[in-house]
Amino acid sequence: MKLLVSVRSVDEAMLAAGAGVDFIDLKEPGQGALGGLPTGAIGAIVAALRRSGGSRLVSATIGDVPMHEAPRIIRCVEAVGRCGVDYVKVGIERTPAARPVLDALAACAWPVVPVFIADRGLEMADVAHACALGFPGVMADTQDKLRGSLFDALPTHVLQRFIATARAAGTMVGLAGALRAAHAPQLRELAPDFAGFRSAVCAGDRSGALDPARLHALVGLLRDQATYRPPPSSSARTRPTSAQ
C-alpha cells in the first residue's frame, strides 16, 4: 500500500518527497476537500519534484467543481493536465450528472482519476462504469472532514466492494477521507493500492503546515519500520480535527 500525502507548496512537496512519500498530491486544503491550486503553483511544484529525481507519482486536483458544470470540469482538467502531473483528480458526487461527466472525462486526453465523494454513500453502478471506461485509477474520499473519517461514512463491506470492483477491472484504487494513523490496521486489511492523508501529518488542522515529525512517523508506520508514536504535544500544536 503506497502512501499519498497532499501538499500545497514546493516546500511541502520537498518535505514529503524527502520523507519517502510515494504519491504526492497537489491541492489547497483551505479551499475544500479537493481544493485546487493555481496552475502556476502546480507547475512550480511539479518542476521542483522532477528536478529532485526519483520515481514518485504526482497528482493534482481541479478544485471542487459541481457535477452540473461539465464543460468547466473539462476545461479545468485540461489546465491542470498541461502542468505535467501524472494524474488529474476530479471529484465525482453521487448525482445523476455523474455518469455523463465520467463519459466526458474518459474522452479527454489526460490521465484522470475520478474521486468518488462518499458522504452520501457510493453509487456502485457509477464506480463500475468508471472502471469499465479505463481510467487509470479511482478513489473514495469524503467532502466534510469534520464529520469523521471515510470509515465513518461507509461500512467496511462497501469499501471492500469498491476495491474489488476496481481490482476486477485492473484499475488502481485508493482511499482517503480524514484518515488517521489509527486507521492503519483497517487499511492494511482492505489493502488499497494507496491511502491518502493530510491533517494526520499536520501540526494543526488540514489547512496547517506539514509537521515533519508526524510525517516521518506515519511513513514509518505504513512501512512497518516503526511503531507509531504521536509527537509530544505542546502549546504550539493542536490535535488535528480533519484529514485528507
Side-chain angles (χ1 to χ4, degrees):
M1 182 175 65
K2 295 183 182 300
L3 171 63
L4 177 150
V5 168
S6 296
V7 305
R8 58 148 63 98
S9 67
V10 170
D11 287 346
E12 286 193 348
M14 300 311 293
L15 177 60
V21 170
D22 308 292
F23 209 140
I24 297 178
D25 180 51
L26 315 185
K27 69 167 61 167
E28 175 44 69
Q31 297 296 321
L34 295 174
L37 287 167
T39 54
I42 295 173
I45 297 170
V46 171
L49 288 170
R50 302 304 188 215
R51 286 195 300 270
S52 70
S55 58
R56 66 190 59 84
L57 299 169
V58 183
S59 63
T61 66
I62 66 165
D64 290 317
V65 184
M67 289 287 92
H68 65 269
E69 297 186 33
R72 180 184 165 202
I73 289 173
I74 298 303
R75 289 196 300 272
C76 290
V77 167
E78 292 174 348
V80 172
R82 286 194 294 268
C83 295
V85 297
D86 296 296
Y87 302 107
V88 182
K89 290 170 57 182
V90 179
I92 304 295
E93 299 170 319
R94 190 179 184 183
T95 73
R99 189 70 64 92
V101 167
L102 288 167
D103 291 338
L105 291 170
C108 76
W110 305 101
V112 171
V113 172
V115 180
F116 289 90
I117 305 302
D119 298 60
R120 296 190 298 114
L122 294 179
E123 181 55 67
M124 292 304 302
D126 288 341
V127 174
H129 184 67
C131 291
L133 288 172
F135 290 107
V138 294
M139 286 187 70
D141 199 349
T142 57
Q143 180 72 35
D144 187 347
K145 309 302 183 183
L146 298 179
R147 293 185 65 182
S149 74
L150 180 68
F151 291 102
D152 296 307
L154 296 175
T156 299
H157 71 88
V158 173
L159 292 170
Q160 289 171 331
R161 186 179 174 194
F162 177 75
I163 292 170
T165 299
R167 288 271 162 75
T171 303
M172 178 175 62
V173 59
L175 302 179
L179 298 180
R180 305 289 186 181
H183 293 124
Q186 293 159 282
L187 290 167
R188 287 196 186 98
E189 182 69 23
L190 289 167
D193 294 301
F194 61 94
F197 297 83
R198 171 66 195 185
S199 67
V201 292
C202 289
D205 65 21
R206 69 193 303 267
S207 62
L210 293 190
D211 182 310
R214 291 179 184 273
L215 180 61
H216 283 277
L218 184 64
V219 171
L221 172 68
L222 296 183
R223 296 290 183 276
D224 287 326
Q225 294 173 348
T227 300
Y228 180 74
R229 297 180 179 86
S233 60
S234 71
S235 59
R237 284 179 177 157
T238 57
R239 182 179 178 84
T241 57
S242 61
Q244 171 62 23

